[in-house]
Structure formats: C-alpha cells, structure tokens
Amino acid sequence: DFEGSPYVKEQFKLFIIAVLRNPENRKIFQNAIFDLRFLAMNGITNIPNIWDTKLMAHMWNEEVPKSLSDLVYYFYNEEM
C-alpha cells in the first residue's frame, strides 16, 4: 500500500485515470479481465482501446499456452 501523502496519492490516481481513459493510448494487458477488475474496485472504469495478449493468443490458436512467459517463448523463442 502507498504510504505517501493523500494529496500525492490522489494526484497519481488522477494521472493513471487520464492515461487509461485516453482513447489515443493503446493499453496492452496480459489477462486484462484481472487488471480491469482491480482497477474497477479502485473506481477506475471506462477504459477504451484495450488489447489483451492472452485473449489474442487464444483467438489466434487455441492450443498455444497462455501464460506470459509461454507466449514470449513461443513467439520469440527466447527465455527471459
């Protein structure tokens, strides 16, 4: 949990909201539903232009493993 001043916390939250709600910004998530639930619990909703790597991988090929490390290995054949 953030231990800074309430003012700094609120300003940071407003900045995050502005970035996430800007339709010009492409937001890329891995398993977006998890992150969107967390954001919604904190009052951050109506986020446009979301791309979900897990969902895209499933739509491309149902047989591909869906974890982020598996997708990196599958598409880039490198270990991170």
Side-chain angles (χ1 to χ4, degrees), residues 25-30 32 35 49-53 56:
N25 297 334
R26 180 181 299 162
K27 281 65 76 179
I28 301 174
F29 292 92
Q30 167 67 12
D35 297 311
N49 204 6
I50 295 173
W51 295 47
D52 186 337
T53 56
M56 286 185 202

Side-chain angles (χ1 to χ4, degrees), residues 29-48:
F29 292 92
Q30 167 67 12
N31 193 13
I33 193 71
F34 174 83
D35 297 311
L36 294 175
R37 283 185 195 149
F38 173 79
L39 291 167
M41 289 187 326
N42 287 279
I44 303 172
T45 58
N46 302 321
I47 303 170

Side-chain angles (χ1 to χ4, degrees), residues 9 12 16 18 28-29 35 52 56 58 60 67 70 76:
K9 183 177 181 179
F12 182 70
I16 295 299
I28 301 174
F29 292 92
D35 297 311
D52 186 337
M56 286 185 202
H58 183 76
W60 179 71
S67 77
D70 287 334
Y76 296 101

